[in-house]
Amino acid sequence: MKNRQLKAVLWDVDGTLADTECDGHRVAFNMAFDEAKIARQWDEDTYGKLLAVAGGKERLCHDMQDGNLSDNVDVIALHARKTVFYQQLIKEGKLPLRPGVRRLLNDLHTADITQGISTTTTISALDALIKYVLGEEWFDIFATLAAGDIVPFKKPAPDIYFHALQELKISPELASKHVLAMEDSANGLHAAKAAGLCCVVTVNDYTANHDFSAADLVVSNLGEPNSPMQILSNPHNIIVTDMITINNLESLLTSMQNVG
Ligand code: XBP
Ligand code: MG
């Protein structure tokens, strides 16, 4: 096996693997409001603002504190129904993977590079995405599925990354040299950076205006051979063309080592 600098990639889910927020989580929250006869709907702009709060239950509580949801709402029960609706949307094929995701996942797997998940979302929502979108074999391929409430503090806290690294048995010191995080949002970037990781950001409509000055590379998406991505920020000046490849990720970690 090649002696690579890149030993592991930790993937965020929402907004990174798939554009799950606007047409997935948001729609599912609204379906749960409807079902419970709660007079509240989150439109696209409102939801964009609420995304600053990581985690679905936390987002509901925040909306309640702002006076938009009644204090009588059972947040846990409502969120459980939202998760069921979200799983249905996934099953119906409404939330495809983002460009380049399947390609890079497969290439990393073929190259025997460890991969894992590090996400805020509920584990059963992640399970649905793996089962119906990625394919069941990914339950075995991912070396860790770090998700949701297994840590006390959600992103931008680094807890979920530290949890994933612990499961991979990689010390934080080694992780800073050999592990790369894939994220889409400022909360995710800050979590990865607080865990000491190299971080590539793939922006989406909700996150394009976030401050990504701490990121190691910012791109519009991961790119495909016939559909190139745009490079939005490349502070380490690595050579990168139309799509993110393993060699690009390797160069990124190597160039960071040379500076660090
Ligand atoms: C994603 C989130 C998630 C989803 C909703 O953040 O904040 O909470 O919006 O998922 P990230 P749940 O991509 O940074 O991990 O309702 O299952 O919590
Ligand atoms: Mg995300």
Side-chain angles (χ1 to χ4, degrees):
M1 196 175 37
K2 248 179 153 174
N3 193 15
R4 294 182 185 275
Q5 185 82 24
L6 178 64
K7 306 276 186 226
V9 173
L10 288 173
W11 292 86
D12 171 51
V13 173
D14 296 306
T16 302
L17 289 182
D19 270 325
T20 51
E21 294 292 7
C22 189
D23 302 331
H25 291 295
R26 185 185 68 88
V27 172
F29 279 113
N30 286 338
M31 290 165 88
F33 292 145
D34 268 349
E35 184 187 62
K37 301 200 175 7
I38 293 168
R40 178 71 172 143
Q41 288 285 288
W42 286 345
D43 62 29
E44 293 186 17
D45 285 351
T46 305
Y47 193 69
K49 293 186 188 103
L50 284 167
L51 280 178
V53 182
K57 293 186 285 297
E58 291 80 355
R59 203 163 290 145
L60 288 166
C61 289
H62 179 89
D63 210 35
M64 193 180 276
Q65 275 152 20
D66 275 356
N68 298 317
L69 280 179
S70 147
D71 289 351
N72 299 328
V73 168
D74 180 340
V75 166
I76 301 291
L78 186 68
H79 185 263
R81 289 300 296 156
K82 172 260 166 181
T83 301
V84 171
F85 288 124
Y86 177 79
Q87 289 172 312
Q88 272 169 19
L89 293 171
I90 293 262
K91 202 171 168 179
E92 288 162 14
K94 302 263 168 66
L95 302 166
L97 296 177
R98 293 192 64 193
V101 167
R102 169 94 53 199
R103 171 186 59 76
L104 191 56
L105 282 165
N106 285 341
D107 287 353
L108 288 163
H109 179 49
T110 305
D112 230 349
I113 293 167
T114 300
Q115 298 186 78
I117 295 287
S118 175
T119 179
T120 301
T121 205
T122 308
I123 188 75
S124 53
L126 170 63
D127 285 350
L129 190 91
I130 295 177
K131 185 168 177 193
Y132 298 111
V133 184
L134 282 173
E136 303 223 33
E137 65 278 16
W138 286 88
F139 282 113
D140 296 324
I141 297 172
F142 287 126
T144 177
L145 296 178
D149 297 326
I150 45 174
V151 288
F153 298 104
K154 292 183 175 170
K155 298 173 187 178
D159 302 31
I160 198 73
Y161 276 104
F162 285 134
H163 180 91
L165 292 174
Q166 218 168 14
E167 294 223 314
L168 299 181
K169 300 189 172 44
I170 301 178
S171 70
E173 210 222 326
L174 279 179
S176 67
K177 298 188 181 107
H178 300 293
V179 180
L180 188 141
M182 287 286 185
E183 281 286 355
D184 73 300
S185 68
N187 275 342
L189 168 65
H190 293 138
K193 282 288 153 195
L197 304 182
C198 172
C199 184
V200 173
V201 173
T202 60
V203 303
N204 57 55
D205 286 350
Y206 271 139
T207 66
N209 295 326
H210 289 187
D211 177 0
F212 291 126
S213 47
D216 297 297
L217 185 66
V218 184
V219 290
S220 55
N221 56 61
L222 294 175
E224 295 283 22
N226 54 358
S227 175
M229 65 187 189
Q230 282 173 275
I231 300 158
L232 305 174
S233 164
N234 181 6
H236 303 290
N237 293 314
I238 62 156
I239 296 170
V240 50
T241 52
D242 291 349
M243 55 184 186
I244 297 293
T245 63
I246 296 179
N247 282 346
N248 297 148
L249 304 182
E250 186 78 6
S251 309
L252 204 50
L253 283 172
T254 309
S255 69
M256 288 172 69
Q257 276 320 111
N258 292 341
V259 203

